[in-house]
Amino acid sequence: MSALRFDQVAKRYPGGIEAVSGVSFEVGKGEMVVLSGHSGAGKSTLLRMIPAIERPTEGRVVVNGQDVGKLKRSGVAILRRNLGVIFQDRKLLFDRTVFDNVMLPLAIAGFAPREAARRVRAALDKVGLLEREKAYPIALSGGEQQRLAIARAVVNRPSLLIADEPTAHLDPAYAHDIAQMFRSFNGVGVTVIVATPDEALFAPYGARRIVLDHGRLVTEEAVP
Amino acid sequence: MTIGNWLRQHGKACGAAARRIAGQPVNTLLSALVVGIALALPAGGEMLLVNFLRLAQNVSATPQLSIFLTLDANKKDSQEIDARLKRHVLVRDYRYVPREEARSRLKQTEGLAEVIDSLPRNPFPDAFVVTPKGESPEQLENLKLEFANYPKVEHVQLDSLWVKRLDALLRLGQMLVTGLAVLLGVALVAVTFNTIRLQILTQRAEVEVSRLLGASDAFIRRPFFYFGALQGLLGGVVAWVLVLAAAYALARPVSRLASLYSFNFALRPLPLAESLFLIAFAVFLGWLGAWLSVSRHLRDIEPR
């Protein structure tokens, strides 16, 4: 069973704007995939269909054997709890500390406080933010905020990690660190899908490349 | 989800709501005062009703019939009526009041002794005070007619009119209190509805992110429900304190007024059961306002 399958997926917005059209591909478990393409190619739309933030107007999105389109509201919540998602705009809570931001997914999942705190500190340690656990996100740099978003995405130990332009607006050194971080998660068996226009950043880590253009899949390259 | 997890999540939601309430002391105080004052009105009315009921029960709630014989009725006539009353299936109890007893009783009333003594003869007839078994107005009227037809009976008086009037007044009071409670309850639900709407707006980002991270509807709603219920609880306590203060402030003037009417009466605060009901009712209204607001507004917040 694949981790993720897009099956003739299309997405049309009101007004006839076609963001994605007839896209089909599969991502195996433990694979690392880079979705690339210019701005407006449909990368973000495709990624947003995985946690059912967007629903396809045609076709099917299957995550770990579940047809996302058939999930009810409660099913969507369970699906999202089992995914690690890094959003393009990070979606951090600025009135909560670094620690509390990372704690949120565990609180939602109902973890016991002691185990949750242990996991939060482990995740913060992994992204190098352990010493900033009491800081508020506003006090962090752009790169640190991105690492905080990553810590929050992995704290639940998801089997599938998706990231929408995680290196956008970061200087090259930070971007390289982030790319390495994804490689390390993939190295322990996590399936990673990254949407980025900067595909070269992930090329050294053997990621499969899927290129989109105007909502259509134009190239699908296997690991070199 | 295990019961432990479920309880933990409720504990966290309740704690988060309590912290949010404590973090806005001025807003909290104002809201509690609005809720408290609004609830104190029907609660105060209920307290007065409870006291009036107690007063009415103390005086006598059982209707009685007084049978007055003619002035020329003799002992034999009284014995005849006594025998009829003894046999009557609808008579629970009766008491014979000889004319001498009536006279001496009235003489004990302040200022009347001299007047009574100055009369050439005893103006009071022999009488029977009858307590019937039933209390329905029709039954009482029938008994009155029947007793009036007994020999040597001058007049039969049904002493239930004042009870009926008091009962009607108390019913009216109860209706007014209930109506007031419903009206102000609706107002309180509206106040909580709006407070929670503002809470949802200020926590929009948190709600959106929580949804994206897989929070269930119950997880998101819970802190708002607790917020509404806690606000109601504070309002209920304020209402109870206000009613209690009013009871203590009014106790002495009311007792003084009652003593002028020869009643030994002390105003009592709301009984424990009514006090608990008041607070529980306030909690329910807070929860209801929160539920309506959350149901209406949370659906609008979908992750983008």
Side-chain angles (χ1 to χ4, degrees):
Chain A
M1 188 172 62
S2 59
L4 172 69
R5 197 171 83 240
F6 283 89
D7 191 4
Q8 288 297 313
V9 170
K11 176 71 184 178
R12 269 183 295 278
Y13 289 108
I17 302 159
E18 196 160 55
V20 173
S21 177
V23 171
S24 296
F25 67 88
E26 209 164 312
V27 178
K29 285 192 172 169
E31 222 186 332
M32 185 166 178
V33 171
V34 170
L35 275 180
S36 71
H38 295 296
S39 176
K43 307 185 293 293
S44 295
T45 305
L46 272 188
L47 282 195
R48 288 162 66 82
M49 285 182 196
I50 300 170
I53 300 168
E54 300 275 5
R55 301 274 186 162
T57 36
E58 278 172 36
R60 295 196 315 152
V61 179
V62 181
V63 180
N64 290 326
Q66 280 186 306
D67 186 343
V68 173
K70 287 184 180 165
L71 290 177
K72 290 182 180 165
R73 206 173 166 83
S74 56
V76 168
I78 294 167
L79 168 77
R80 287 176 183 171
R81 261 175 256 165
N82 292 309
L83 295 174
V85 186
I86 297 141
F87 304 96
Q88 198 171 0
D89 56 356
R90 296 175 191 141
K91 303 272 185 209
L92 299 175
L93 295 174
F94 284 82
D95 61 344
R96 293 196 183 195
T97 62
V98 164
F99 185 93
D100 288 341
N101 265 278
V102 183
M103 177 63 97
L104 187 58
L106 300 177
I108 289 168
F111 273 80
R114 192 172 293 180
E115 169 65 5
R118 196 186 63 73
R119 284 198 181 205
V120 169
R121 294 207 167 90
L124 287 175
D125 192 30
K126 208 170 281 179
V127 299
L129 283 178
L130 188 55
E131 288 177 4
R132 309 293 310 268
E133 69 170 45
K134 288 182 180 147
Y136 283 86
I138 197 76
L140 304 181
S141 68
E144 285 174 325
Q145 286 186 9
Q146 193 61 284
R147 283 192 274 154
L148 172 56
I150 292 170
R152 190 182 63 187
V154 299
V155 73
N156 256 346
R157 297 180 188 163
S159 60
L160 177 59
L161 181 64
I162 55 181
D164 193 0
E165 305 208 10
T167 57
H169 315 299
L170 296 182
D171 65 45
Y174 266 135
H176 187 71
D177 280 353
I178 300 286
Q180 265 191 330
M181 234 174 252
F182 283 109
R183 173 68 193 104
S184 71
F185 294 134
N186 182 236
V188 293
V190 178
T191 308
V192 178
I193 304 163
V194 182
T196 178
D198 192 8
E199 60 194 74
L201 197 63
F202 293 87
Y205 306 122
R208 178 153 67 99
R209 194 169 72 107
I210 292 173
V211 183
L212 296 168
D213 186 32
H214 290 97
R216 291 175 186 278
L217 195 155
V218 290
T219 316
E220 189 176 357
E221 287 176 1
V223 181
Chain B
M1 187 185 283
T2 63
I3 289 179
N5 274 352
W6 184 82
L7 287 175
R8 193 160 38 242
Q9 294 214 346
H10 273 269
K12 277 190 173 180
C14 187
R19 277 193 296 279
R20 212 170 280 279
I21 281 178
Q24 312 163 341
V26 177
N27 285 354
T28 300
L29 184 67
L30 289 175
S31 298
L33 278 176
V34 169
V35 174
I37 291 168
L39 276 180
L41 291 172
E46 179 64 22
M47 180 188 73
L48 291 176
L49 273 179
V50 168
N51 276 282
F52 276 130
L53 273 173
R54 191 163 52 84
L55 176 66
Q57 280 162 0
N58 281 350
V59 177
S60 170
T62 315
Q64 289 182 324
L65 288 137
S66 299
I67 305 171
F68 299 103
L69 305 191
T70 55
L71 283 173
D72 62 346
N74 56 32
K75 197 158 193 169
K76 198 180 161 207
D77 297 324
S78 301
Q79 283 170 346
E80 166 63 21
I81 291 175
D82 187 282
R84 287 187 184 207
L85 291 175
K86 199 174 276 177
R87 287 195 303 268
H88 206 296
V89 289
L90 291 176
V91 171
R92 175 180 294 156
D93 191 20
Y94 68 93
R95 187 165 58 87
Y96 174 58
V97 184
R99 51 194 305 200
E100 291 75 24
E101 185 185 326
R103 183 173 182 272
S104 64
R105 266 207 206 172
L106 200 67
K107 265 183 81 175
Q108 287 166 11
T109 307
E110 198 179 315
L112 285 181
E114 282 181 26
V115 177
I116 299 289
D117 284 338
S118 68
L119 293 173
R121 62 186 177 89
N122 185 354
F124 299 103
D126 289 330
F128 288 87
V129 179
V130 179
T131 306
K133 276 183 180 164
E135 289 183 10
S136 75
E138 298 80 20
Q139 202 175 43
L140 293 172
E141 282 299 329
N142 288 340
L143 274 180
K144 184 184 170 186
L145 284 174
E146 186 184 338
F147 294 158
N149 287 325
Y150 282 2
K152 295 288 181 183
V153 169
E154 177 76 38
H155 176 64
V156 180
Q157 187 175 315
L158 181 53
D159 300 329
S160 67
L161 194 59
W162 72 271
V163 177
K164 284 183 194 167
R165 284 177 183 157
L166 184 64
D167 188 53
L169 271 175
L170 288 173
R171 275 174 204 273
L172 182 66
Q174 191 69 59
M175 277 177 68
L176 284 174
V177 166
T178 307
L180 201 61
V182 169
L183 270 179
L184 292 170
V186 170
L188 291 188
V189 169
V191 167
T192 313
F193 181 91
N194 198 46
T195 309
I196 298 295
R197 184 182 69 84
L198 295 174
Q199 286 290 322
I200 291 171
L201 283 178
T202 55
Q203 292 175 57
R204 192 184 175 93
E206 189 175 329
V207 170
E208 196 180 318
V209 170
S210 297
R211 276 211 200 287
L212 285 170
L213 296 177
S216 62
D217 285 343
F219 181 91
I220 292 170
R221 288 172 174 187
R222 221 173 273 141
F224 296 111
F225 288 164
Y226 275 108
F227 189 96
L230 285 175
Q231 196 181 53
L233 174 69
L234 288 175
V237 170
V238 168
W240 181 76
V241 170
L242 288 175
V243 173
L244 190 70
Y248 281 113
L250 291 174
R252 193 167 292 180
V254 168
S255 287
R256 209 175 297 140
L257 182 68
S259 69
L260 292 176
Y261 287 92
S262 306
F263 285 121
N264 183 17
F265 178 70
L267 189 70
R268 288 186 195 162
L270 269 183
L272 180 67
E274 272 84 354
S275 298
L276 290 176
F277 176 79
L278 166 68
I279 292 171
F281 185 58
V283 170
F284 168 74
L285 289 179
W287 177 88
L288 181 65
W291 182 80
L292 290 171
S293 190
V294 163
S295 305
R296 166 73 185 80
H297 297 111
L298 270 188
R299 289 261 165 191
D300 298 343
I301 303 178
E302 283 300 328
R304 294 267 157 253

